Amino acid sequence: MSGAGAPSITVDGTGLRVVVVAASWHTEVMDGLLAGARRALAEAHVTDVRELRVPGSFELPVAAARAAAAGADAVVALGVVIRGGTPHFEYVCSAATDGLSQVALTTGVPVGFGLLTCDDEQQALDRAGLPGSSEDKGAEAAEAAVATVVALRGL
Ligand code: DLZ
């Protein structure tokens, strides 16, 4: 999957409460994802932003579920999983991905998916929104979460 074809999203999230849940593995990449999410939320005029750090991406779904239960209008989930030499990668990725989509569907609270699942660190750095990165997945996840709240309110 490539970033080609990504939409340009401009959205007004004034008055929304957004919780960013973020894993802690791979510090440099996580710092880039977090900075991108913060920047995108500020550009969308979201001022009620809380950040909740968890150890690893496996813990993201429970944090997202708690954030939704606590009244978040949207959750932005950020994490980085890098493939190693064992099947652990697949288990962490699928637990995090399935868990986050389950949270969105069962609570109705949009969850922006900012989980990078990469073969190596360079792939993650390329997507981290850092100087020299070609993509900014933290910002994209934040924009998607806010845009989905606004879209659903139009029903
Ligand atoms: C154990 C583990 C490994 C090997 N790799 C990563 C990773 O690349 N990215 C990540 O976010 N978390 C990793 N973890 C930690 C798990 O997500 C989880 O925190 C632990 O298994 C404890 O539940």
Side-chain angles (χ1 to χ4, degrees):
M1 207 159 98
S2 84
S8 169
I9 297 176
T10 306
V11 70
D12 186 357
T14 301
L16 296 185
R17 172 179 294 181
V18 176
V19 178
V20 179
V21 295
S24 304
W25 281 61
H26 311 293
T27 311
E28 184 180 2
V29 181
M30 281 306 307
D31 287 349
L33 294 179
L34 271 165
R38 289 177 189 137
R39 197 167 48 243
L41 292 171
E43 284 171 9
H45 312 292
V46 179
T47 53
D48 187 351
V49 180
R50 299 175 193 201
E51 295 182 6
L52 182 58
R53 297 304 294 265
V54 293
S57 296
F58 187 84
E59 284 75 39
L60 289 172
V62 71
R66 188 61 70 89
D73 295 302
V75 176
V76 181
L78 305 176
V80 185
V81 192
I82 297 186
R83 190 184 292 279
T86 72
H88 208 86
F89 174 82
E90 272 79 19
Y91 289 111
V92 172
C93 291
S94 60
T97 304
D98 294 349
L100 290 170
S101 56
Q102 201 184 323
V103 169
L105 293 172
T106 57
T107 65
V109 173
V111 178
F113 185 66
L115 176 69
L116 300 183
T117 59
C118 299
D119 288 331
D120 55 46
E121 191 179 22
Q122 189 56 53
Q123 285 186 348
L125 289 167
D126 288 344
R127 291 158 177 76
L130 293 164
S133 299
S134 51
E135 296 178 58
D136 188 350
K137 294 297 183 189
E140 283 181 28
E143 289 162 359
V146 173
T148 304
V149 176
V150 173
L152 295 178
R153 286 192 170 170
L155 287 172

